[in-house]
Amino acid sequence: MAIITAPAIIRALSLFHLSLSYFLIASPSTIVNQSLVFILGASMRLPTPPSFSIASPSTALSALILALLGLTDLTACSLPEEISSYYWGSQAPIRCTFFFALTGYAYAFKPEGPIRGASQQVNPWDNLNTSVVFTWSFLEMITWFWIFITLREERRELAVRKAEKKRAEENML
């Protein structure tokens, strides 16, 4: 049995989304100045986005999207165990794959990165190649992988409990 259950991890991640949402509206520079963002960004040689120094319409929209994501995930955590298992069992691999692709893109297609090289063509997707996007997607990828593994364990335990319950009912007859 897992020490921390999947619903607990999802609730913590939802609260993280709500916290990020608050900071994106109130003070986006707080996010950029975090040690983890700085260390991961510097180690991957990713630029720090200058647009995060003050609140802007783009950070407000990002905050609203994160708040919606956090609230809907908190709501979905209150589903019954069997329904929740199926729902999160389908969500976890999709989200993990998406954030894996985003993390890989942020690193591989950075200026002077392994795929893009020294090409200095301006690309509209260059805004994803920042330390903030990389750090956020990396943390999300790790968390969703952890949720996926925990859900697999919990699903196996649920199947064992169902089998034991069925055997107990058969023995009663």
Side-chain angles (χ1 to χ4, degrees), residues 122-144:
V122 176
N123 184 349
W125 294 92
D126 283 348
N127 294 325
L128 295 176
N129 302 333
T130 65
S131 59
V132 173
V133 171
F134 180 82
T135 303
W136 174 66
S137 61
F138 184 72
L139 291 175
E140 289 274 343
M141 177 188 65
I142 290 171
T143 306
W144 282 107

Side-chain angles (χ1 to χ4, degrees), residues 74-94:
L74 274 176
T75 305
C77 273
S78 64
L79 293 170
E81 187 177 7
E82 285 186 22
I83 297 170
S84 178
S85 175
Y86 287 114
Y87 177 76
W88 292 115
S90 64
Q91 286 290 309
I94 292 170

